[in-house]
Amino acid sequence: MTTRGTLRVYLGAAPGVGKTYKMLEEGRRRLERGTDVVVGFVETHDRPFTEVLLDGLEVVPRKRMTYRAAAFTELDLDAVLARRPEVALVDELAHTNVPGGAHAKRWQDIQRLLEAGIDVLTTVNIQHLESLNDVVESITGVPQRETVPDAVVRRAEQIELVDMTPEALRRRMAHGNVYKPEKIDAALGNYFRVGNLTALRELALLWLADKVDEQLERYRAEHGIAKTWETRERVVVALTGGPEGDTLVRRAARVAARTKGADLLAVHVVRGDGLAGADPANLTRQRLLVESLGGTYHQVLGADVPRALLDFARGVNATQLVLGASRRGRLAQMLSPGVGVTTTAGSGAIDVHLVTHEEARRFAWRTRRAGGLDRGRRLAGFALSLAGLPLLTIALDALRGGASLPTDILAYLVLAVAAALVGGLLPALLCAVGGFLLLNWYFTPPLNRFTIHERENLFALVAFVFVAVAVATVVDGAARRARDAARASAEAQTLATLAGSVMHGDNPLGALLERVRESFGLDCVTLLERDGEHAPWRVAASVGGTPCTSPGDGETEVSIEEHVSLVLRGHPLPAADRRLVEAFAAHAAIALRQQRLGEQAAAAGTLAEVDRLRTALLSAVSHDLRTPLASAKAAVGSLRSPDVHFSDEDQAELLETAEESLDKLTRLVENLLDMSRLQAGALALTLEPVDLADALPRAADDLDAVVTISVPEDLPPVSADPALLERILVNLLANALRHSPPHRPPAVGASAHAGRVEIRVVDHGPGLPAEDHDRVFQPFQRLGDRDNTTGVGLGLALSRGLAEAMNGTLTPEPTPGGGLTMTLTLPRA
């Protein structure tokens, strides 16, 4: 039988990190050791450093194929199988084969090679893994049509991460080591942004870390290793739901913080009967605290709390366990060692921290005294005991000749059981003690004396007291458990409504409605509100399908307030579920009010910002508008002076000075007016298709500057206001010219990407610190890049405002090699 080959995968975060290079290096090393190695398929992308490594390696000729009148080359699977090397190098694991081949995907070709006993070295990028496909698309905006199932990669015997920092990869690309020069600017401005590369790198590292954890757990399981391996510090804190939990969580977080990369896990053990005495409000607060400290919260089921804690700790490979000091009294600790002592004794290699706290023993006695029956039933039990004992004694005394002592004992036992059923433990104890004394005095020889001559009579009386107390204890315990069960049901509803994960994030109202929809399997959940009884309903928030526009659109309506309703569509809800939905609805109303308050606060902040801008505007106008006015006035005044005669050249120069000053004044006033219109939301837009091949040269001509412009011939037009777009481009080019060195003029490039067009204005000047990337767009500031004679600092602020008014964005990022790149993104026409 042929032994299956081994698979080694070189995993990368993005193209260009060196996966193929590493694979070829490994192939050459194996060849030098005498291994039979062939290249089945390697894509060098015309990279010279990669092509050099192919020298000396046997390359199996590719299979030529024709599809839709186009020629393609693919891996010749049959040729590699016929050659039967020890090792085959096959690039691009996720590649989709040209129709007509043996398999649809290259990873299926590799499976055939492995089944034939051939070891395979291959490469894949993290964005091609099926489980991360949608995540990568949401990050980069680029859908990946070529994917490979995660299971294929996880089954690989070896996975090697080829890692590179985003900055190093961008430098490699800027130097022309990844793509051809004509593709570099587009790649740097689109897929290969620093943020994209950082996110992809994190995905690759996390995915590989999970793979390593799986391999470690599999190894431990295969070798029967139960003891803790301290490969990573994991701190588990046990929570009882008591008030001391906050102290324990913070202490555990400090313990975890001492080791970089340590994990914090909180666990609460729920008793097997579900009737634990945990305070749900405390547990909810402590869970939020754990999550805010970067930890995770878990609940496990177990009748034996110490064993459940240790099983959980060993299951997560914990290294430290944090417990709170016991809240029980000394007598209880003498009778039973308690959770802390028992857990410590069985912890083994896990370090156990017993943390003292102010709540220790404070509530133990009060908790133990809490009974299971209400006051009315206890009073009824006492009344039954006090009235029943004399009446029963009179009745038995009247039957003295016809009833024996065992009969008398059974009669008093029935009375004690009845007292226990009605009033619980204390009335039954009273009845048992009273019955013992009455039996001893009236019915046990010698009569009318508290003495007993026969041992069996003594045993019968003691047995009577014991049975009566035992039955009373069981009844009282059952009543307490019934009461606990009712309380647990109410607490479960409270926990559901106060789910901490719902109230986190930027949209708590939407998260709450989504939780309702998921919990009850609904199609749509809509929160409606209206201004008055006869006013139309409007949608305040909705999740799921098409929102309900009135309460009648759904199967279930929950009225929250006078003019606020929660409408559910999908299926009718039973009464039990409706109670829980009503609790959710109450919190939805609170979330809606918080949202409204947030909107009001934002509006107040906007007014404050407008006032700040007005103040800054007055300060700027006092100098920046006066300067061109003074220049123009001086030039015109000189020309009108009768005392001085100017030559034609001097007159032309004075007129030019006046014209330049008035042009500068016009631009300043236009910027100020447009900024005011933007702030007021009154800027008039005329959106139409604009060809950048025409707009960019016009902007450069307005500045009379040398600018390198590169626009693809197939670039689609953008949807923009032509005049405002030109204003933006002029401002961006003027800013780039101001900071560019004389020998390196600014460059402008453009490319289409996911339904939008990006325009990149690149300069190679001093650049801008990352912390100033947002500040540069604030009005009336210069960040030290201007003197006080060249403008009011509105150019970039106005440009971003105009871009956003046209549904676009304007963002800065560092230029590889130094400088600043301004990226203007606009929708395609």
Side-chain angles (χ1 to χ4, degrees), residues 247-289:
T247 302
L248 300 183
V249 169
R250 292 188 176 93
R251 179 61 182 272
R254 290 196 296 271
V255 173
R258 295 170 187 166
T259 304
K260 187 175 182 180
D263 295 334
L264 174 63
L265 301 91
V267 59
H268 171 65
V269 179
V270 181
R271 278 173 38 187
D273 56 11
L275 301 179
D279 187 334
N282 285 342
L283 281 178
T284 300
R285 185 183 66 255
Q286 290 155 15
R287 177 162 61 86
L288 295 177
L289 178 60

mmCIF file of all heavy atoms in Angstrom, residues 247-289:
data_model
loop_
_atom_site.group_PDB
_atom_site.id
_atom_site.type_symbol
_atom_site.label_atom_id
_atom_site.label_comp_id
_atom_site.label_asym_id
_atom_site.label_seq_id
_atom_site.Cartn_x
_atom_site.Cartn_y
_atom_site.Cartn_z
ATOM 1 N N THR A 247 -13.631 42.157 43.409
ATOM 2 C CA THR A 247 -12.265 42.129 43.935
ATOM 3 C C THR A 247 -11.464 40.991 43.332
ATOM 4 O O THR A 247 -10.295 41.164 42.958
ATOM 5 C CB THR A 247 -12.311 41.988 45.468
ATOM 6 O OG1 THR A 247 -13.053 43.072 46.022
ATOM 7 C CG2 THR A 247 -10.911 41.973 46.050
ATOM 8 N N LEU A 248 -12.089 39.819 43.199
ATOM 9 C CA LEU A 248 -11.380 38.659 42.653
ATOM 10 C C LEU A 248 -11.010 38.888 41.193
ATOM 11 O O LEU A 248 -9.907 38.535 40.755
ATOM 12 C CB LEU A 248 -12.261 37.411 42.779
ATOM 13 C CG LEU A 248 -12.678 37.005 44.193
ATOM 14 C CD1 LEU A 248 -13.476 35.714 44.149
ATOM 15 C CD2 LEU A 248 -11.460 36.849 45.081
ATOM 16 N N VAL A 249 -11.922 39.463 40.420
ATOM 17 C CA VAL A 249 -11.647 39.684 38.997
ATOM 18 C C VAL A 249 -10.477 40.647 38.834
ATOM 19 O O VAL A 249 -9.559 40.415 38.020
ATOM 20 C CB VAL A 249 -12.908 40.218 38.286
ATOM 21 C CG1 VAL A 249 -12.566 40.698 36.888
ATOM 22 C CG2 VAL A 249 -13.977 39.135 38.228
ATOM 23 N N ARG A 250 -10.478 41.723 39.595
ATOM 24 C CA ARG A 250 -9.393 42.697 39.460
ATOM 25 C C ARG A 250 -8.056 42.096 39.905
ATOM 26 O O ARG A 250 -7.013 42.364 39.301
ATOM 27 C CB ARG A 250 -9.722 43.956 40.271
ATOM 28 C CG ARG A 250 -10.896 44.745 39.714
ATOM 29 C CD ARG A 250 -11.062 46.079 40.419
ATOM 30 N NE ARG A 250 -12.128 46.864 39.821
ATOM 31 C CZ ARG A 250 -13.389 46.864 40.244
ATOM 32 N NH1 ARG A 250 -13.730 46.117 41.296
ATOM 33 N NH2 ARG A 250 -14.305 47.584 39.650
ATOM 34 N N ARG A 251 -8.107 41.296 40.955
ATOM 35 C CA ARG A 251 -6.874 40.651 41.405
ATOM 36 C C ARG A 251 -6.362 39.675 40.342
ATOM 37 O O ARG A 251 -5.159 39.632 40.033
ATOM 38 C CB ARG A 251 -7.112 39.920 42.725
ATOM 39 C CG ARG A 251 -5.879 39.205 43.251
ATOM 40 C CD ARG A 251 -4.727 40.169 43.527
ATOM 41 N NE ARG A 251 -3.542 39.482 43.991
ATOM 42 C CZ ARG A 251 -3.281 39.204 45.260
ATOM 43 N NH1 ARG A 251 -4.165 39.581 46.198
ATOM 44 N NH2 ARG A 251 -2.185 38.590 45.604
ATOM 45 N N ALA A 252 -7.256 38.898 39.757
ATOM 46 C CA ALA A 252 -6.850 37.966 38.710
ATOM 47 C C ALA A 252 -6.313 38.705 37.491
ATOM 48 O O ALA A 252 -5.358 38.260 36.848
ATOM 49 C CB ALA A 252 -8.036 37.081 38.313
ATOM 50 N N ALA A 253 -6.924 39.849 37.153
ATOM 51 C CA ALA A 253 -6.433 40.639 36.018
ATOM 52 C C ALA A 253 -5.022 41.146 36.286
ATOM 53 O O ALA A 253 -4.179 41.181 35.376
ATOM 54 C CB ALA A 253 -7.381 41.807 35.750
ATOM 55 N N ARG A 254 -4.735 41.542 37.524
ATOM 56 C CA ARG A 254 -3.378 41.990 37.842
ATOM 57 C C ARG A 254 -2.387 40.835 37.741
ATOM 58 O O ARG A 254 -1.256 41.017 37.277
ATOM 59 C CB ARG A 254 -3.348 42.603 39.248
ATOM 60 C CG ARG A 254 -4.062 43.937 39.361
ATOM 61 C CD ARG A 254 -3.675 44.675 40.632
ATOM 62 N NE ARG A 254 -4.088 43.960 41.832
ATOM 63 C CZ ARG A 254 -5.268 44.110 42.425
ATOM 64 N NH1 ARG A 254 -6.166 44.955 41.916
ATOM 65 N NH2 ARG A 254 -5.566 43.436 43.516
ATOM 66 N N VAL A 255 -2.823 39.657 38.167
ATOM 67 C CA VAL A 255 -1.950 38.480 38.043
ATOM 68 C C VAL A 255 -1.658 38.186 36.569
ATOM 69 O O VAL A 255 -0.516 37.914 36.179
ATOM 70 C CB VAL A 255 -2.597 37.260 38.722
ATOM 71 C CG1 VAL A 255 -1.792 35.993 38.441
ATOM 72 C CG2 VAL A 255 -2.718 37.484 40.228
ATOM 73 N N ALA A 256 -2.700 38.262 35.733
ATOM 74 C CA ALA A 256 -2.516 37.985 34.309
ATOM 75 C C ALA A 256 -1.662 39.055 33.644
ATOM 76 O O ALA A 256 -0.899 38.768 32.716
ATOM 77 C CB ALA A 256 -3.877 37.883 33.611
ATOM 78 N N ALA A 257 -1.766 40.296 34.115
ATOM 79 C CA ALA A 257 -1.035 41.392 33.474
ATOM 80 C C ALA A 257 0.465 41.299 33.714
ATOM 81 O O ALA A 257 1.246 41.943 33.009
ATOM 82 C CB ALA A 257 -1.556 42.739 33.993
ATOM 83 N N ARG A 258 0.875 40.505 34.691
ATOM 84 C CA ARG A 258 2.305 40.384 34.957
ATOM 85 C C ARG A 258 3.032 39.626 33.858
ATOM 86 O O ARG A 258 4.255 39.702 33.763
ATOM 87 C CB ARG A 258 2.524 39.677 36.297
ATOM 88 C CG ARG A 258 2.018 40.481 37.487
ATOM 89 C CD ARG A 258 2.032 39.654 38.754
ATOM 90 N NE ARG A 258 1.400 40.364 39.866
ATOM 91 C CZ ARG A 258 1.034 39.787 41.006
ATOM 92 N NH1 ARG A 258 1.247 38.488 41.167
ATOM 93 N NH2 ARG A 258 0.466 40.490 41.947
ATOM 94 N N THR A 259 2.295 38.858 33.069
ATOM 95 C CA THR A 259 2.894 38.089 31.982
ATOM 96 C C THR A 259 2.292 38.554 30.674
ATOM 97 O O THR A 259 1.067 38.546 30.503
ATOM 98 C CB THR A 259 2.630 36.585 32.165
ATOM 99 O OG1 THR A 259 3.115 36.178 33.440
ATOM 100 C CG2 THR A 259 3.321 35.791 31.076
ATOM 101 N N LYS A 260 3.122 38.963 29.738
ATOM 102 C CA LYS A 260 2.642 39.448 28.447
ATOM 103 C C LYS A 260 1.951 38.321 27.691
ATOM 104 O O LYS A 260 2.461 37.213 27.581
ATOM 105 C CB LYS A 260 3.803 39.999 27.624
ATOM 106 C CG LYS A 260 3.371 40.679 26.341
ATOM 107 C CD LYS A 260 4.554 41.304 25.634
ATOM 108 C CE LYS A 260 4.097 42.015 24.367
ATOM 109 N NZ LYS A 260 5.242 42.634 23.649
ATOM 110 N N GLY A 261 0.762 38.606 27.172
ATOM 111 C CA GLY A 261 0.026 37.614 26.390
ATOM 112 C C GLY A 261 -0.777 36.636 27.212
ATOM 113 O O GLY A 261 -1.324 35.667 26.664
ATOM 114 N N ALA A 262 -0.866 36.846 28.534
ATOM 115 C CA ALA A 262 -1.623 35.919 29.378
ATOM 116 C C ALA A 262 -3.117 36.068 29.129
ATOM 117 O O ALA A 262 -3.607 37.151 28.807
ATOM 118 C CB ALA A 262 -1.302 36.163 30.850
ATOM 119 N N ASP A 263 -3.843 34.961 29.301
ATOM 120 C CA ASP A 263 -5.292 34.946 29.120
ATOM 121 C C ASP A 263 -5.978 35.014 30.475
ATOM 122 O O ASP A 263 -5.513 34.403 31.457
ATOM 123 C CB ASP A 263 -5.743 33.675 28.389
ATOM 124 C CG ASP A 263 -5.225 33.613 26.969
ATOM 125 O OD1 ASP A 263 -4.977 34.689 26.396
ATOM 126 O OD2 ASP A 263 -5.061 32.502 26.436
ATOM 127 N N LEU A 264 -7.092 35.733 30.530
ATOM 128 C CA LEU A 264 -7.910 35.831 31.739
ATOM 129 C C LEU A 264 -9.253 35.181 31.451
ATOM 130 O O LEU A 264 -9.942 35.555 30.500
ATOM 131 C CB LEU A 264 -8.102 37.294 32.149
ATOM 132 C CG LEU A 264 -9.061 37.552 33.316
ATOM 133 C CD1 LEU A 264 -8.533 36.905 34.593
ATOM 134 C CD2 LEU A 264 -9.276 39.044 33.521
ATOM 135 N N LEU A 265 -9.624 34.188 32.279
ATOM 136 C CA LEU A 265 -10.889 33.493 32.110
ATOM 137 C C LEU A 265 -11.627 33.500 33.440
ATOM 138 O O LEU A 265 -11.041 33.188 34.489
ATOM 139 C CB LEU A 265 -10.695 32.043 31.644
ATOM 140 C CG LEU A 265 -9.949 31.808 30.327
ATOM 141 C CD1 LEU A 265 -8.446 31.648 30.597
ATOM 142 C CD2 LEU A 265 -10.461 30.547 29.628
ATOM 143 N N ALA A 266 -12.891 33.847 33.424
ATOM 144 C CA ALA A 266 -13.737 33.790 34.612
ATOM 145 C C ALA A 266 -14.734 32.647 34.441
ATOM 146 O O ALA A 266 -15.271 32.447 33.351
ATOM 147 C CB ALA A 266 -14.474 35.110 34.819
ATOM 148 N N VAL A 267 -14.979 31.899 35.512
ATOM 149 C CA VAL A 267 -15.889 30.757 35.429
ATOM 150 C C VAL A 267 -16.823 30.771 36.632
ATOM 151 O O VAL A 267 -16.420 31.082 37.753
ATOM 152 C CB VAL A 267 -15.096 29.427 35.364
ATOM 153 C CG1 VAL A 267 -14.212 29.246 36.590
ATOM 154 C CG2 VAL A 267 -16.048 28.242 35.208
ATOM 155 N N HIS A 268 -18.080 30.484 36.359
ATOM 156 C CA HIS A 268 -19.088 30.332 37.413
ATOM 157 C C HIS A 268 -19.675 28.932 37.305
ATOM 158 O O HIS A 268 -20.115 28.517 36.222
ATOM 159 C CB HIS A 268 -20.192 31.377 37.271
ATOM 160 C CG HIS A 268 -21.362 31.144 38.184
ATOM 161 N ND1 HIS A 268 -21.257 31.210 39.547
ATOM 162 C CD2 HIS A 268 -22.667 30.824 37.914
ATOM 163 C CE1 HIS A 268 -22.446 30.956 40.080
ATOM 164 N NE2 HIS A 268 -23.303 30.725 39.126
ATOM 165 N N VAL A 269 -19.663 28.198 38.402
ATOM 166 C CA VAL A 269 -20.186 26.833 38.419
ATOM 167 C C VAL A 269 -21.643 26.867 38.844
ATOM 168 O O VAL A 269 -21.969 27.329 39.940
ATOM 169 C CB VAL A 269 -19.368 25.938 39.369
ATOM 170 C CG1 VAL A 269 -19.944 24.531 39.381
ATOM 171 C CG2 VAL A 269 -17.909 25.902 38.936
ATOM 172 N N VAL A 270 -22.504 26.393 37.959
ATOM 173 C CA VAL A 270 -23.941 26.307 38.245
ATOM 174 C C VAL A 270 -24.230 24.916 38.775
ATOM 175 O O VAL A 270 -23.818 23.917 38.175
ATOM 176 C CB VAL A 270 -24.778 26.570 36.970
ATOM 177 C CG1 VAL A 270 -26.261 26.491 37.285
ATOM 178 C CG2 VAL A 270 -24.432 27.932 36.396
ATOM 179 N N ARG A 271 -24.909 24.827 39.903
ATOM 180 C CA ARG A 271 -25.236 23.522 40.483
ATOM 181 C C ARG A 271 -26.090 22.699 39.525
ATOM 182 O O ARG A 271 -26.833 23.239 38.713
ATOM 183 C CB ARG A 271 -25.996 23.706 41.801
ATOM 184 C CG ARG A 271 -25.088 23.969 42.980
ATOM 185 C CD ARG A 271 -25.863 24.309 44.218
ATOM 186 N NE ARG A 271 -27.095 23.527 44.359
ATOM 187 C CZ ARG A 271 -28.003 23.745 45.300
ATOM 188 N NH1 ARG A 271 -27.810 24.725 46.159
ATOM 189 N NH2 ARG A 271 -29.078 23.005 45.387
ATOM 190 N N GLY A 272 -25.958 21.396 39.651
ATOM 191 C CA GLY A 272 -26.681 20.506 38.750
ATOM 192 C C GLY A 272 -28.180 20.666 38.816
ATOM 193 O O GLY A 272 -28.882 20.434 37.823
ATOM 194 N N ASP A 273 -28.724 21.085 39.979
ATOM 195 C CA ASP A 273 -30.174 21.272 40.079
ATOM 196 C C ASP A 273 -30.611 22.647 39.629
ATOM 197 O O ASP A 273 -31.791 22.980 39.631
ATOM 198 C CB ASP A 273 -30.654 21.025 41.516
ATOM 199 C CG ASP A 273 -29.922 21.903 42.529
ATOM 200 O OD1 ASP A 273 -29.201 22.835 42.097
ATOM 201 O OD2 ASP A 273 -30.067 21.645 43.736
ATOM 202 N N GLY A 274 -29.643 23.492 39.241
ATOM 203 C CA GLY A 274 -29.978 24.824 38.739
ATOM 204 C C GLY A 274 -30.427 25.799 39.795
ATOM 205 O O GLY A 274 -30.907 26.876 39.483
ATOM 206 N N LEU A 275 -30.275 25.449 41.110
ATOM 207 C CA LEU A 275 -30.804 26.303 42.175
ATOM 208 C C LEU A 275 -29.686 26.946 42.979
ATOM 209 O O LEU A 275 -29.749 27.074 44.180
ATOM 210 C CB LEU A 275 -31.711 25.475 43.100
ATOM 211 C CG LEU A 275 -32.904 24.812 42.419
ATOM 212 C CD1 LEU A 275 -33.700 24.018 43.431
ATOM 213 C CD2 LEU A 275 -33.777 25.854 41.745
ATOM 214 N N ALA A 276 -28.625 27.324 42.320
ATOM 215 C CA ALA A 276 -27.513 27.982 43.007
ATOM 216 C C ALA A 276 -27.958 29.334 43.543
ATOM 217 O O ALA A 276 -28.835 29.984 42.984
ATOM 218 C CB ALA A 276 -26.333 28.150 42.061
ATOM 219 N N GLY A 277 -27.311 29.747 44.639
ATOM 220 C CA GLY A 277 -27.709 31.005 45.256
ATOM 221 C C GLY A 277 -26.985 32.208 44.697
ATOM 222 O O GLY A 277 -26.751 33.170 45.430
ATOM 223 N N ALA A 278 -26.583 32.190 43.443
ATOM 224 C CA ALA A 278 -25.833 33.297 42.858
ATOM 225 C C ALA A 278 -26.756 34.481 42.596
ATOM 226 O O ALA A 278 -27.909 34.313 42.199
ATOM 227 C CB ALA A 278 -25.180 32.852 41.554
ATOM 228 N N ASP A 279 -26.223 35.660 42.839
ATOM 229 C CA ASP A 279 -26.948 36.889 42.549
ATOM 230 C C ASP A 279 -26.766 37.223 41.071
ATOM 231 O O ASP A 279 -25.634 37.510 40.638
ATOM 232 C CB ASP A 279 -26.413 38.027 43.422
ATOM 233 C CG ASP A 279 -27.241 39.297 43.293
ATOM 234 O OD1 ASP A 279 -27.882 39.482 42.235
ATOM 235 O OD2 ASP A 279 -27.244 40.098 44.241
ATOM 236 N N PRO A 280 -27.831 37.183 40.263
ATOM 237 C CA PRO A 280 -27.656 37.425 38.824
ATOM 238 C C PRO A 280 -27.132 38.821 38.512
ATOM 239 O O PRO A 280 -26.385 39.013 37.559
ATOM 240 C CB PRO A 280 -29.063 37.215 38.260
ATOM 241 C CG PRO A 280 -29.989 37.371 39.425
ATOM 242 C CD PRO A 280 -29.231 36.901 40.616
ATOM 243 N N ALA A 281 -27.517 39.812 39.305
ATOM 244 C CA ALA A 281 -27.021 41.167 39.054
ATOM 245 C C ALA A 281 -25.511 41.226 39.259
ATOM 246 O O ALA A 281 -24.784 41.848 38.478
ATOM 247 C CB ALA A 281 -27.733 42.161 39.974
ATOM 248 N N ASN A 282 -25.035 40.556 40.324
ATOM 249 C CA ASN A 282 -23.587 40.525 40.559
ATOM 250 C C ASN A 282 -22.864 39.809 39.428
ATOM 251 O O ASN A 282 -21.808 40.263 38.960
ATOM 252 C CB ASN A 282 -23.285 39.825 41.886
ATOM 253 C CG ASN A 282 -23.614 40.702 43.085
ATOM 254 O OD1 ASN A 282 -23.747 41.921 42.958
ATOM 255 N ND2 ASN A 282 -23.769 40.091 44.241
ATOM 256 N N LEU A 283 -23.409 38.675 38.997
ATOM 257 C CA LEU A 283 -22.769 37.930 37.910
ATOM 258 C C LEU A 283 -22.725 38.759 36.629
ATOM 259 O O LEU A 283 -21.722 38.747 35.902
ATOM 260 C CB LEU A 283 -23.505 36.616 37.665
ATOM 261 C CG LEU A 283 -23.207 35.472 38.636
ATOM 262 C CD1 LEU A 283 -24.051 34.260 38.292
ATOM 263 C CD2 LEU A 283 -21.733 35.112 38.608
ATOM 264 N N THR A 284 -23.798 39.454 36.328
ATOM 265 C CA THR A 284 -23.817 40.289 35.126
ATOM 266 C C THR A 284 -22.771 41.394 35.207
ATOM 267 O O THR A 284 -22.021 41.637 34.246
ATOM 268 C CB THR A 284 -25.208 40.907 34.944
ATOM 269 O OG1 THR A 284 -26.181 39.861 34.821
ATOM 270 C CG2 THR A 284 -25.254 41.776 33.689
ATOM 271 N N ARG A 285 -22.700 42.056 36.359
ATOM 272 C CA ARG A 285 -21.712 43.118 36.523
ATOM 273 C C ARG A 285 -20.295 42.576 36.432
ATOM 274 O O ARG A 285 -19.412 43.175 35.795
ATOM 275 C CB ARG A 285 -21.925 43.814 37.862
ATOM 276 C CG ARG A 285 -21.025 45.031 38.076
ATOM 277 C CD ARG A 285 -21.186 45.658 39.435
ATOM 278 N NE ARG A 285 -20.748 44.782 40.512
ATOM 279 C CZ ARG A 285 -21.557 44.121 41.325
ATOM 280 N NH1 ARG A 285 -22.875 44.246 41.196
ATOM 281 N NH2 ARG A 285 -21.087 43.349 42.279
ATOM 282 N N GLN A 286 -20.072 41.423 37.030
ATOM 283 C CA GLN A 286 -18.727 40.840 37.011
ATOM 284 C C GLN A 286 -18.353 40.348 35.623
ATOM 285 O O GLN A 286 -17.182 40.424 35.224
ATOM 286 C CB GLN A 286 -18.649 39.714 38.040
ATOM 287 C CG GLN A 286 -18.695 40.231 39.472
ATOM 288 C CD GLN A 286 -19.202 39.219 40.474
ATOM 289 O OE1 GLN A 286 -19.271 38.020 40.187
ATOM 290 N NE2 GLN A 286 -19.572 39.676 41.667
ATOM 291 N N ARG A 287 -19.316 39.848 34.873
ATOM 292 C CA ARG A 287 -19.023 39.430 33.497
ATOM 293 C C ARG A 287 -18.609 40.637 32.655
ATOM 294 O O ARG A 287 -17.664 40.573 31.868
ATOM 295 C CB ARG A 287 -20.239 38.751 32.868
ATOM 296 C CG ARG A 287 -20.016 38.352 31.422
ATOM 297 C CD ARG A 287 -21.045 37.312 31.005
ATOM 298 N NE ARG A 287 -22.387 37.824 31.112
ATOM 299 C CZ ARG A 287 -23.003 38.520 30.161
ATOM 300 N NH1 ARG A 287 -22.364 38.790 29.045
ATOM 301 N NH2 ARG A 287 -24.234 38.934 30.316
ATOM 302 N N LEU A 288 -19.314 41.749 32.809
ATOM 303 C CA LEU A 288 -18.937 42.967 32.092
ATOM 304 C C LEU A 288 -17.539 43.431 32.499
ATOM 305 O O LEU A 288 -16.757 43.887 31.656
ATOM 306 C CB LEU A 288 -19.957 44.073 32.373
ATOM 307 C CG LEU A 288 -21.383 43.828 31.865
ATOM 308 C CD1 LEU A 288 -22.284 44.976 32.292
ATOM 309 C CD2 LEU A 288 -21.404 43.667 30.365
ATOM 310 N N LEU A 289 -17.228 43.300 33.783
ATOM 311 C CA LEU A 289 -15.906 43.701 34.253
ATOM 312 C C LEU A 289 -14.823 42.823 33.635
ATOM 313 O O LEU A 289 -13.783 43.319 33.192
ATOM 314 C CB LEU A 289 -15.858 43.619 35.780
ATOM 315 C CG LEU A 289 -14.518 43.967 36.440
ATOM 316 C CD1 LEU A 289 -14.107 45.389 36.094
ATOM 317 C CD2 LEU A 289 -14.604 43.772 37.949
#
